[in-house]
Amino acid sequence: MLKFALLHLTFLVYSIASIFMKKAAILGGINARSFLLFFTGIMLFGGYSFLWQQDLKNFPLSVAMASKPVCLLWSTLFGFLIFGEVVSLRFFIGVIVIVAGIIIVSGEKSNA
């Protein structure tokens, strides 16, 4: 169970890095604040890459890759909360279907 928590922490780091990159893009131009946001995003992506490599040591590739779309859930939540993006019911249902699929695939692989 701890391994799955760490796997999903990896995806959370990826989504947080995306927030910093989007904020840097919104600011635009070359200034200290946008550079700091961009640099922080790059560093978080580097941390994500390291964590992802560790996850691949602990999970079959099929389980790790099947779990990756959970980033959609985090990105949608952050987009709504931080950037005020509109989330349609259709998109929300799609995310639920994806998460259900992840649970099914992860459960099958861990029981095998």
Side-chain angles (χ1 to χ4, degrees), residues 46-67:
Y48 157 78
S49 297
F50 174 78
L51 291 171
W52 179 243
Q53 294 302 315
Q54 301 309 307
D55 292 335
L56 291 178
K57 291 179 185 178
N58 294 316
F59 290 97
L61 184 59
S62 59
V63 172
M65 289 304 292
S67 298

Side-chain angles (χ1 to χ4, degrees), residues 17-110:
S18 298
I19 292 169
F20 281 91
M21 297 305 248
K22 182 167 183 168
K23 284 192 170 268
I26 289 171
L27 280 177
I30 299 175
N31 56 54
R33 188 166 181 219
S34 63
F35 177 78
L36 181 62
L37 289 167
F38 180 75
F39 181 76
T40 303
I42 292 291
M43 295 304 292
L44 285 168
F45 278 129
Y48 157 78
S49 297
F50 174 78
L51 291 171
W52 179 243
Q53 294 302 315
Q54 301 309 307
D55 292 335
L56 291 178
K57 291 179 185 178
N58 294 316
F59 290 97
L61 184 59
S62 59
V63 172
M65 289 304 292
S67 298
K68 201 165 185 176
V70 88
C71 290
L72 286 172
L73 178 66
W74 290 116
S75 298
T76 302
L77 180 65
F78 292 142
F80 175 75
L81 294 175
I82 296 171
F83 300 106
E85 295 176 355
V86 177
V87 180
S88 69
L89 180 61
R90 177 184 283 179
F91 188 82
F92 185 71
I93 291 170
V95 169
I96 290 172
V97 168
I98 289 170
V99 171
I102 291 168
I103 291 169
I104 291 168
V105 169
S106 298
E108 288 176 1
K109 295 296 181 182
S110 63

